[in-house]
Amino acid sequence: MASPALLMRVVASAYSVAEKAATIVRNVMSAGDLGIVEKAGPNDLQTKADRLVQMSICASLARKFPKVTIIGEEELPTDDVTEDLIEDGHCEEILKKPCPAQYTGIKEEELVIWVDPLDGTKEYTEGLLDHVTVLIGIAYGGKAIAGVINQPYYNYEAGANAVLGRTIWGVLGMGAFGFQLTEAPAGKHIVVTTRSHSSALVNECIAALNPDHVIRVGGAGNKIIQLIEGKASAYVFASPGCKKWDTCAPEAILHAVGGKITDICGNSFQYNKEVKHMNSAGVLATLRNYDYYASRIPNTVKESLVP
């Protein structure tokens, strides 16, 4: 039997690395000292979990795939990673699946991995644990083609004996796994948006969509999960605050199940290693009916957000 294609090996490793990350996230929380640092302000925080998880993910993947470009959210030294942070396992189930034909010839140096070690840091510090995700997105040719999202606290309200956490993954041309794909109720317009980064522009954009209901939660990964599990019909964020490591993994998973994500103006995101990190024209994502929402974004909003 031929050895698995590079892409499948990277995804299989990212899966195990994300599970290790979730354990680190839970351990930091249960130890009680989050080690919070303000980066750009009170809504832009970094914790000990962000730092340890990023070192774990980046060092683990770099050791196995040394020619892959890995870009993480936190600016950290890479040389002082202790051996207990390294995860060298992989998910056997993923390795057994055939790689989509268009990706079988990919070389290591052609891949870019975008890492958000703890998406929803502010919510993590406030105990809103179901908002928190670990994001590992894999890009090729500037496109998000595969992604892993771990929810360290999935199921945390289900009682003392609940198994905590789950890992969702997907590859374009193959589909996405680890959750039950569900569509939002037909005819209902449920918009999921930011919880802590609201603004007049964000609210003007949402009002123009005339939603039946607005859900305000933290984390881009969490918002995409709301779409693929049918809790929301559109994710709308008319603000420049989101970054490439927030959207790469969620985009791959959303696109793998037929959804669509762009900036507010309808442009696709690019994920090549030279690209700027900020998604400065915001985010518009849906599982279905993208055109309905895109057509209702006011021009004033689009003109305010320059890609």
Side-chain angles (χ1 to χ4, degrees), residues 17-38:
V17 166
E19 302 244 288
K20 165 94 167 180
T23 303
I24 297 171
V25 169
R26 291 188 294 262
N27 288 348
V28 169
M29 176 62 78
S30 56
D33 175 15
L34 295 184
I36 299 169
V37 180
E38 275 192 23

Side-chain angles (χ1 to χ4, degrees), residues 212-235:
D212 297 299
H213 185 49
V214 178
I215 304 170
R216 294 183 185 274
V217 293
N222 180 31
K223 293 181 187 75
I224 294 294
I225 291 169
Q226 306 280 322
L227 296 182
I228 61 177
E229 294 199 313
K231 297 186 180 82
S233 24
Y235 162 22

Side-chain angles (χ1 to χ4, degrees), residues 154 166 168 177-183 225 228-230:
Y154 177 74
R166 67 169 170 176
I168 291 170
F177 309 89
F179 67 100
Q180 183 62 52
L181 183 67
T182 310
E183 299 199 14
I225 291 169
I228 61 177
E229 294 199 313

Side-chain angles (χ1 to χ4, degrees), residues 194-212:
T194 184
R195 179 181 160 267
S196 54
H197 300 279
S198 209
S199 68
L201 201 63
V202 167
N203 294 330
E204 177 192 344
C205 188
I206 289 168
L209 300 172
N210 197 16
D212 297 299

Side-chain angles (χ1 to χ4, degrees), residues 1-52:
M1 185 178 155
S3 64
L6 171 71
L7 178 63
M8 301 314 291
R9 288 189 293 142
V10 172
V11 176
S13 292
Y15 184 100
S16 293
V17 166
E19 302 244 288
K20 165 94 167 180
T23 303
I24 297 171
V25 169
R26 291 188 294 262
N27 288 348
V28 169
M29 176 62 78
S30 56
D33 175 15
L34 295 184
I36 299 169
V37 180
E38 275 192 23
K39 292 196 290 186
N43 284 339
D44 189 12
L45 304 177
Q46 182 197 79
T47 68
K48 184 177 177 182
D50 294 83
R51 298 186 287 275
L52 289 175

Side-chain angles (χ1 to χ4, degrees), residues 28-86:
V28 169
M29 176 62 78
S30 56
D33 175 15
L34 295 184
I36 299 169
V37 180
E38 275 192 23
K39 292 196 290 186
N43 284 339
D44 189 12
L45 304 177
Q46 182 197 79
T47 68
K48 184 177 177 182
D50 294 83
R51 298 186 287 275
L52 289 175
V53 167
Q54 178 158 314
M55 290 195 287
S56 173
I57 293 173
C58 295
S60 298
L61 292 173
R63 187 176 286 194
K64 272 194 166 170
F65 309 104
K67 293 183 186 151
V68 170
T69 299
I70 304 172
I71 301 172
E73 173 174 9
E74 312 304 339
E75 291 178 21
L76 298 169
T78 49
D79 44 10
D80 55 356
V81 178
T82 53
E83 208 54 36
D84 61 321
L85 290 175
I86 300 291

Side-chain angles (χ1 to χ4, degrees), residues 237-295:
F237 185 48
S239 170
C242 197
K243 313 278 199 318
K244 293 293 185 294
W245 44 74
D246 292 310
T247 52
C248 187
E251 170 169 329
I253 287 166
L254 184 62
H255 284 178
V257 294
K260 185 166 180 179
I261 183 171
T262 64
D263 69 17
I264 285 291
C265 306
N267 305 302
S268 300
F269 295 124
Q270 297 299 311
Y271 295 100
N272 43 303
K273 60 184 177 221
E274 298 81 19
V275 82
K276 67 173 184 175
H277 295 166
M278 184 80 83
N279 292 331
S280 48
V283 179
L284 172 63
T286 65
L287 178 60
R288 305 285 178 257
N289 306 323
Y290 171 88
D291 293 344
Y292 172 88
Y293 293 95
S295 68

